[in-house]
């Protein structure tokens, strides 16, 4: 399978600690040593950015001395939650133009995992293409539109921030994602119809991109399945990647003996009885509108950049945009379905805000609306950071000691909020490494401090 060879070359097989019995550090709250078994079985709850990334990275540890089986649980399937509804704008910068915490690591890792998904998707497209498709020139839509992102300044303070952080970023890490500060005239050439004066400024992230999150996640999960199949086909190693469309209402419902359970449920993590009220996250439900442009209208150049300006416009191909997103705090309705009344209210709000920077939005029609709930963490001196770590003490201390498997460890990878794309690959790899070695010290300490009340909040992004 040629695609697997190319996928394997993207990620070198990671090293595994070989000391035999590795004890967790004191921060982890786990005491069992790593299993000496050559077979590891893992359950991952949630098939969004975090869950599918962890699945891929765990499978990279397959070798002749270690066999890995991954079982991915999600009642709705791949990308059924907030990840699949998201705008999919990939870039490593805050609204001020400041590189986010570990933005370079996140950016590089995200590009690597995108390459895996694209390689898999290309192979699937070639295999599925029929003679009629070839004759008519039909091609599958891409996973990512790599046409950049523009963020126009909406206030004098934004202009000052743009100048400050673009200069800082250029001095420290030049050309990460092609960041530059451009004048209003240049921005208008990139985005015809953008409401910006010639004297105003905008951020231009030349290498930023708009990813179709559902397409991306489905391709990445297919990469997991193909990788496991290819490894097993060689005969010396058995690996498995299975999707189980089953609702896990409680961790005690998992009857199998897993070496570890990794909880990547986003907003739904709070609904597990073992974690109820124990995760420092706020929920925010957002509605996005899928827009189409009638053929007779002249409007947004689909090959131009996406736009960030409070609300956002994400390119999805010729005559297609996604406009998002509303913010309904503390709304825990995780259904992606939006009622007609709520859709009308949300679209009115979104169109009003978008028309301030792109008046031609009035020419676009709403094809569909979808909703997702993001799990948001508190702002720290490093911005809003995800929650990671081994949670044995939290989970097992909250339940009957006989209701959970004593041999199983429990981990959390959540609170990605609006930065799921920039962090999912880099942190997915770190989580997989920590899980394989049963050692929390593989995780950034900034992301495990929440368990001990050590997170210092800040108003600074």
């Amino acid at each position: 399978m040629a695609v697997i060879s190319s996928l394997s070359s993207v990620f070198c097989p990671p090293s595994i600690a070989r000391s035999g019995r590795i004890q967790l550090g004191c921060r982890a709250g786990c005491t069992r040593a790593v299993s000496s078994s050559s077979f590891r079985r893992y359950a991952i709850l949630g098939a969004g950015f975090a869950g599918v990334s962890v699945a891929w990275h765990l499978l990279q540890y397959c070798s002749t001395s270690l066999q890995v089986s991954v079982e991915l649980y999600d009642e709705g399937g791949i990308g059924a939650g907030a990840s699949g509804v998201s705008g999919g704008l990939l870039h490593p910068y805050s609204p001020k133009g400041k590189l986010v915490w570990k933005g370079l690591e996140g950016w590089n890792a995200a590009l690597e995992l995108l390459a895996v998904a694209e390689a898999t998707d290309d192979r699937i497209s070639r295999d599925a293409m029929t003679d009629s498709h070839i004759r008519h020139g039909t091609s599958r839509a891409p996973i990512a539109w790599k046409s950049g992102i523009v963020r126009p300044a909406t206030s004098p303070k934004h202009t000052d921030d743009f100048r400050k952080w673009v200069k800082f970023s250029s001095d420290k890490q030049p050309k990460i994602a092609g960041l530059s500060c451009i004048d209003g005239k240049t921005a208008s050439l990139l985005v015809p119809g953008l409401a910006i004066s010639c004297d105003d400024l905008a951020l231009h992230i030349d290498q930023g991109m708009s990813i179709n999150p559902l397409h991306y996640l489905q391709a990445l999960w297919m990469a997991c399945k193909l990788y496991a199949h290819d490894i097993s086909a060689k005969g010396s190693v058995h690996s498995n990647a299975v999707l189980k469309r089953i609702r896990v209402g409680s961790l005690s419902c998992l009857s199998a003996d897993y070496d570890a359970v990794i909880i990547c449920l986003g907003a739904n993590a709070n609904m597990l009885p073992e974690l109820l009220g124990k995760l420092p996250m706020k929920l925010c439900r957002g509605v996005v509108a899928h827009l189409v442009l009638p053929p007779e209208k002249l409007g947004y150049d689909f090959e131009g950049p996406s736009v960030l300006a409070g609300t956002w416009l994400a390119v999805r191909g010729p005559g297609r945009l996604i406009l998002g997103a509303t913010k309904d705090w503390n709304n825990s309705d995780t259904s992606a379905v939006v009622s007609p009344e709520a859709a009308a209210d949300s679209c009115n709000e979104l169109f009003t805000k978008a028309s301030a920077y792109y008046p031609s939005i009035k020419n676009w029609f709403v094809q569909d609306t979808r909703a997702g709930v993001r799990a948001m963490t508190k702002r720290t001196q490093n911005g809003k950071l995800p929650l990671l770590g081994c949670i044995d003490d939290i989970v097992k201390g909250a339940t009957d000691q006989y209701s959970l498997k004593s041999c199983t460890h429990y981990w959390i990878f959540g609170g990605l909020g609006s930065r799921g794309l920039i962090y999912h690959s880099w942190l997915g790899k770190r989580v997989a490494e920590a899980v394989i070695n049963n050692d929390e010290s593989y995780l950034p300490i900034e992301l495990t401090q929440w368990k001990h009340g050590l997170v210092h909040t800040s108003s600074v992004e």
Side-chain angles (χ1 to χ4, degrees), residues 202-255:
L203 288 180
H204 182 213
I205 310 171
D206 182 59
Q207 296 167 29
M209 59 190 75
S210 172
I211 291 176
N212 183 324
L214 189 57
H215 190 172
Y216 167 68
L217 287 169
Q218 289 171 342
L220 187 56
W221 176 243
M222 181 58 69
C224 292
K225 294 173 66 176
L226 291 173
Y227 189 91
H229 176 272
D230 185 66
I231 289 291
S232 300
K234 294 179 180 178
S236 57
V237 177
H238 176 72
S239 180
N240 204 17
V242 177
L243 173 64
K244 296 192 172 184
R245 298 190 62 164
I246 301 171
R247 179 178 179 271
V248 179
S250 169
L251 297 177
S252 61
C253 295
L254 296 170
S255 58

Side-chain angles (χ1 to χ4, degrees), residues 90-93 107 174-180 204-208:
L90 175 59
H91 65 91
Y93 293 101
W107 172 253
K175 296 184 179 179
I176 297 175
L179 179 71
S180 64
H204 182 213
I205 310 171
D206 182 59
Q207 296 167 29

Side-chain angles (χ1 to χ4, degrees), residues 134-344:
I134 295 173
R135 284 197 301 269
H136 295 298
T138 302
S139 60
R140 187 170 178 170
I143 290 176
W145 285 267
K146 302 175 183 180
S147 53
I149 298 172
V150 168
R151 184 190 287 275
T154 56
S155 71
K157 186 179 185 306
H158 283 169
T159 298
D160 293 340
D161 286 338
F162 289 177
R163 287 195 178 102
K164 172 185 174 181
W165 289 113
V166 169
K167 182 179 187 305
F168 180 85
S169 298
S170 297
D171 291 344
K172 297 294 182 180
Q173 295 283 356
K175 296 184 179 179
I176 297 175
L179 179 71
S180 64
C181 209
I182 59 177
D183 58 32
K185 181 178 181 181
T186 304
S188 295
L189 291 174
L190 289 171
V191 186
L194 188 68
I196 185 172
S197 72
C198 293
D199 296 329
D200 287 336
L201 293 181
L203 288 180
H204 182 213
I205 310 171
D206 182 59
Q207 296 167 29
M209 59 190 75
S210 172
I211 291 176
N212 183 324
L214 189 57
H215 190 172
Y216 167 68
L217 287 169
Q218 289 171 342
L220 187 56
W221 176 243
M222 181 58 69
C224 292
K225 294 173 66 176
L226 291 173
Y227 189 91
H229 176 272
D230 185 66
I231 289 291
S232 300
K234 294 179 180 178
S236 57
V237 177
H238 176 72
S239 180
N240 204 17
V242 177
L243 173 64
K244 296 192 172 184
R245 298 190 62 164
I246 301 171
R247 179 178 179 271
V248 179
S250 169
L251 297 177
S252 61
C253 295
L254 296 170
S255 58
D257 288 321
Y258 291 107
D259 289 274
V261 175
I262 304 100
I263 301 163
C264 304
L265 288 169
N268 284 323
N270 277 320
M271 299 181 185
L272 292 172
E274 295 88 351
L275 294 177
L276 186 63
K278 294 181 170 61
L279 299 177
M281 301 189 303
K282 289 183 66 176
L283 304 185
C284 183
R285 189 171 193 258
V287 175
V288 303
H290 292 243
L291 310 181
V292 293
L293 184 68
E296 68 274 12
K297 297 287 186 179
L298 294 176
Y300 197 91
D301 181 358
F302 77 92
E303 293 184 350
S306 298
V307 180
L308 280 167
T311 56
W312 41 259
L313 293 170
V315 174
R316 284 293 188 274
R320 293 185 179 274
L321 290 174
I322 297 185
L323 169 61
T326 61
K327 294 181 180 179
D328 187 2
W329 289 96
N330 299 317
N331 187 334
S332 59
D333 179 6
T334 56
S335 171
V337 178
V338 184
S339 70
E341 181 181 354

Side-chain angles (χ1 to χ4, degrees), residues 386-454:
L387 307 179
L388 269 61
C390 178
I391 53 173
D392 281 358
D393 289 349
I394 296 174
V395 168
K396 295 181 179 179
T399 59
D400 181 343
Q401 62 177 327
Y402 299 107
S403 64
L404 296 177
K405 300 287 184 179
S406 61
C407 60
T408 301
H409 283 303
Y410 298 86
W411 298 77
I412 186 79
F413 180 10
L416 285 168
S418 60
R419 291 180 177 156
L421 272 174
I422 197 62
Y423 286 139
H424 79 293
S425 180
W426 178 59
L427 291 180
K429 186 175 184 178
R430 300 292 289 269
V431 169
E433 192 173 23
V435 169
I436 284 284
N437 291 292
N438 201 25
D439 188 347
E440 197 181 60
S441 67
Y442 285 93
L443 303 177
I445 191 172
E446 296 92 338
L447 308 188
T448 62
Q449 291 177 330
W450 65 273
K451 297 190 298 177
H452 311 289
L454 298 177

Side-chain angles (χ1 to χ4, degrees), residues 359-377:
S360 295
I361 196 71
K362 65 179 184 294
N363 295 325
W364 294 74
F365 291 166
V366 177
Q367 184 182 51
D368 190 19
T369 54
R370 305 292 286 170
V373 179
R374 292 180 292 181
M376 311 292 288
T377 58

Side-chain angles (χ1 to χ4, degrees), residues 16 34 40 42 58 61 66 68 431-438:
I16 304 172
V34 173
R40 305 280 182 83
Y42 297 112
L58 281 173
Y61 285 90
L66 182 64
V68 176
V431 169
E433 192 173 23
V435 169
I436 284 284
N437 291 292
N438 201 25

